[in-house]
Amino acid sequence: MDVLNMLFQGWSGLARTALVGTLAYAGLVLFLRISGKRTLSKLNAFDLVVTVALGSTLATILLDENVALAEGLVAFATLIGLQWVVTWTSVRWRGFSRAVRAEPAVLVRDGAPVEAALRRERITHDELLSAVRESGGREIGQAEVVLLEGDGSLTAILQG
Protein backbone atom coordinates (compact mmCIF):
# COMPACT_ATOMS: atom_id res chain seq x y z
CA MET A 1 0.00 0.00 0.00
CA ASP A 2 1.46 3.35 -0.95
CA VAL A 3 1.78 6.21 1.52
CA LEU A 4 -0.80 8.41 -0.19
CA ASN A 5 -3.42 5.65 -0.02
CA MET A 6 -2.76 5.26 3.71
CA LEU A 7 -3.48 8.96 4.23
CA PHE A 8 -6.42 9.48 1.88
CA GLN A 9 -8.57 6.91 0.11
CA GLY A 10 -11.13 9.20 -1.46
CA TRP A 11 -13.98 11.53 -0.77
CA SER A 12 -16.63 8.81 -0.72
CA GLY A 13 -15.08 7.22 2.40
CA LEU A 14 -15.00 10.55 4.17
CA ALA A 15 -18.60 11.30 3.19
CA ARG A 16 -19.73 7.84 4.39
CA THR A 17 -17.95 8.28 7.73
CA ALA A 18 -19.48 11.73 8.26
CA LEU A 19 -23.00 10.68 7.28
CA VAL A 20 -23.07 7.32 9.05
CA GLY A 21 -21.28 8.81 12.08
CA THR A 22 -23.84 11.56 12.42
CA LEU A 23 -26.77 9.16 12.09
CA ALA A 24 -25.22 6.55 14.42
CA TYR A 25 -24.50 9.23 17.01
CA ALA A 26 -28.07 10.52 16.80
CA GLY A 27 -29.40 6.97 17.11
CA LEU A 28 -27.22 6.24 20.13
CA VAL A 29 -28.28 9.46 21.88
CA LEU A 30 -31.94 8.65 21.17
CA PHE A 31 -31.59 5.09 22.55
CA LEU A 32 -29.80 6.38 25.65
CA ARG A 33 -32.50 8.99 26.30
CA ILE A 34 -35.21 6.35 25.94
CA SER A 35 -33.41 3.87 28.21
CA GLY A 36 -32.87 6.32 31.06
CA LYS A 37 -29.96 7.65 33.10
CA ARG A 38 -28.94 4.28 34.47
CA THR A 39 -27.63 2.91 31.15
CA LEU A 40 -24.38 4.87 31.26
CA SER A 41 -23.89 5.01 35.00
CA LYS A 42 -20.62 3.72 36.30
CA LEU A 43 -22.02 1.94 39.32
CA ASN A 44 -20.21 -1.36 38.78
CA ALA A 45 -18.07 -3.37 36.40
CA PHE A 46 -21.12 -4.61 34.50
CA ASP A 47 -22.21 -1.05 33.69
CA LEU A 48 -18.68 -0.20 32.59
CA VAL A 49 -18.62 -3.18 30.21
CA VAL A 50 -21.80 -1.95 28.53
CA THR A 51 -20.39 1.57 28.21
CA VAL A 52 -17.19 0.26 26.60
CA ALA A 53 -19.20 -2.03 24.31
CA LEU A 54 -21.32 0.91 23.13
CA GLY A 55 -18.19 2.89 22.32
CA SER A 56 -16.66 -0.03 20.47
CA THR A 57 -19.87 -0.53 18.50
CA LEU A 58 -19.94 3.14 17.53
CA ALA A 59 -16.34 2.95 16.32
CA THR A 60 -17.12 -0.14 14.26
CA ILE A 61 -20.16 1.52 12.66
CA LEU A 62 -18.05 4.57 11.81
CA LEU A 63 -15.01 2.84 10.37
CA ASP A 64 -16.08 -0.56 9.02
CA GLU A 65 -17.80 -0.19 5.66
CA ASN A 66 -19.05 -3.78 5.97
CA VAL A 67 -21.30 -2.79 8.90
CA ALA A 68 -24.48 -1.06 7.80
CA LEU A 69 -26.01 1.69 9.91
CA ALA A 70 -29.12 -0.45 10.53
CA GLU A 71 -26.97 -3.29 11.91
CA GLY A 72 -25.17 -0.86 14.19
CA LEU A 73 -28.42 0.57 15.50
CA VAL A 74 -29.68 -2.95 16.22
CA ALA A 75 -26.42 -3.61 18.09
CA PHE A 76 -26.97 -0.43 20.18
CA ALA A 77 -30.57 -1.45 20.91
CA THR A 78 -29.46 -4.96 21.88
CA LEU A 79 -26.77 -3.77 24.30
CA ILE A 80 -29.02 -1.16 25.88
CA GLY A 81 -31.94 -3.59 26.05
CA LEU A 82 -29.82 -6.23 27.77
CA GLN A 83 -28.52 -3.62 30.21
CA TRP A 84 -32.11 -2.63 30.98
CA VAL A 85 -33.08 -6.29 31.59
CA VAL A 86 -30.12 -6.83 33.92
CA THR A 87 -30.80 -3.69 35.96
CA TRP A 88 -34.57 -4.37 36.08
CA THR A 89 -33.94 -7.92 37.26
CA SER A 90 -31.28 -6.93 39.80
CA VAL A 91 -33.66 -4.43 41.42
CA ARG A 92 -36.26 -7.18 41.88
CA TRP A 93 -34.13 -10.21 42.88
CA ARG A 94 -31.37 -9.80 45.44
CA GLY A 95 -29.66 -13.06 44.44
CA PHE A 96 -29.36 -11.89 40.86
CA SER A 97 -28.12 -8.51 42.02
CA ARG A 98 -25.36 -10.16 44.07
CA ALA A 99 -24.35 -12.23 41.05
CA VAL A 100 -23.84 -9.23 38.76
CA ARG A 101 -22.74 -6.51 41.19
CA ALA A 102 -19.76 -6.22 43.48
CA GLU A 103 -20.55 -5.81 47.17
CA PRO A 104 -18.67 -3.15 49.17
CA ALA A 105 -15.61 -4.40 51.08
CA VAL A 106 -14.53 -3.12 54.50
CA LEU A 107 -10.84 -2.12 54.31
CA VAL A 108 -10.51 -0.28 57.64
CA ARG A 109 -12.54 -0.98 60.76
CA ASP A 110 -12.21 1.21 63.89
CA GLY A 111 -9.02 2.81 62.60
CA ALA A 112 -7.25 -0.49 61.86
CA PRO A 113 -6.61 -1.72 58.32
CA VAL A 114 -8.12 -5.12 57.51
CA GLU A 115 -5.00 -6.62 55.93
CA ALA A 116 -6.70 -9.66 54.37
CA ALA A 117 -9.23 -7.40 52.63
CA LEU A 118 -6.47 -5.07 51.42
CA ARG A 119 -4.60 -7.99 49.85
CA ARG A 120 -7.75 -9.49 48.34
CA GLU A 121 -8.83 -6.15 46.83
CA ARG A 122 -5.25 -5.09 45.91
CA ILE A 123 -5.47 -1.77 47.79
CA THR A 124 -2.38 -0.11 49.27
CA HIS A 125 -2.06 1.78 52.54
CA ASP A 126 -1.29 4.91 50.49
CA GLU A 127 -4.66 4.58 48.74
CA LEU A 128 -6.39 4.23 52.12
CA LEU A 129 -4.61 7.31 53.40
CA SER A 130 -5.67 9.23 50.31
CA ALA A 131 -9.33 8.32 50.92
CA VAL A 132 -9.03 9.41 54.57
CA ARG A 133 -7.48 12.73 53.53
CA GLU A 134 -10.27 13.33 51.00
CA SER A 135 -12.70 13.03 53.91
CA GLY A 136 -10.78 15.52 56.04
CA GLY A 137 -8.63 13.14 58.09
CA ARG A 138 -4.85 13.03 58.45
CA GLU A 139 -4.14 9.38 59.21
CA ILE A 140 -5.75 5.99 58.74
CA GLY A 141 -6.33 5.65 62.49
CA GLN A 142 -8.88 8.48 62.31
CA ALA A 143 -11.18 6.40 60.09
CA GLU A 144 -14.07 4.55 61.65
CA VAL A 145 -14.39 2.64 58.38
CA VAL A 146 -13.02 2.77 54.84
CA LEU A 147 -15.05 0.97 52.21
CA LEU A 148 -14.18 -0.14 48.71
CA GLU A 149 -17.49 0.53 47.01
CA GLY A 150 -18.98 -1.64 44.28
CA ASP A 151 -17.94 0.91 41.65
CA GLY A 152 -14.28 0.80 42.78
CA SER A 153 -14.26 4.10 44.66
CA LEU A 154 -13.06 4.41 48.25
CA THR A 155 -15.28 5.92 50.94
CA ALA A 156 -13.85 6.93 54.30
CA ILE A 157 -16.05 7.66 57.31
CA LEU A 158 -14.10 9.38 60.06
CA GLN A 159 -14.56 8.68 63.76
CA GLY A 160 -16.90 11.13 65.45
Side-chain angles (χ1 to χ4, degrees), residues 45-62:
F46 193 81
D47 297 325
L48 177 62
V49 167
V50 171
T51 303
V52 170
L54 288 170
S56 177
T57 301
L58 181 59
T60 300
I61 296 167
L62 285 171

Side-chain angles (χ1 to χ4, degrees), residues 9 12-14 16-17 60-69 71:
Q9 295 178 350
S12 64
L14 295 177
R16 181 211 174 271
T17 301
T60 300
I61 296 167
L62 285 171
L63 300 174
D64 189 344
E65 293 181 13
N66 296 319
V67 177
L69 176 63
E71 293 169 336

Side-chain angles (χ1 to χ4, degrees), residues 50-111:
V50 171
T51 303
V52 170
L54 288 170
S56 177
T57 301
L58 181 59
T60 300
I61 296 167
L62 285 171
L63 300 174
D64 189 344
E65 293 181 13
N66 296 319
V67 177
L69 176 63
E71 293 169 336
L73 293 176
V74 168
F76 286 152
T78 301
L79 289 168
I80 291 169
L82 289 172
Q83 175 69 352
W84 187 89
V85 168
V86 167
T87 57
W88 185 90
T89 306
S90 66
V91 166
R92 284 155 182 80
W93 289 296
R94 180 124 174 95
F96 184 80
S97 178
R98 276 182 272 174
V100 298
R101 301 190 189 297
E103 294 289 321
V106 176
L107 304 176
V108 172
R109 179 174 281 122
D110 298 324

Side-chain angles (χ1 to χ4, degrees), residues 113-141:
V114 181
E115 296 298 334
L118 292 174
R119 281 191 301 278
R120 182 177 61 251
E121 303 296 345
R122 299 178 315 276
I123 302 292
T124 66
H125 284 261
D126 287 339
E127 290 168 312
L128 289 179
L129 183 56
S130 178
V132 169
R133 286 193 305 257
E134 284 180 26
S135 293
R138 291 186 180 169
E139 57 188 41
I140 295 172

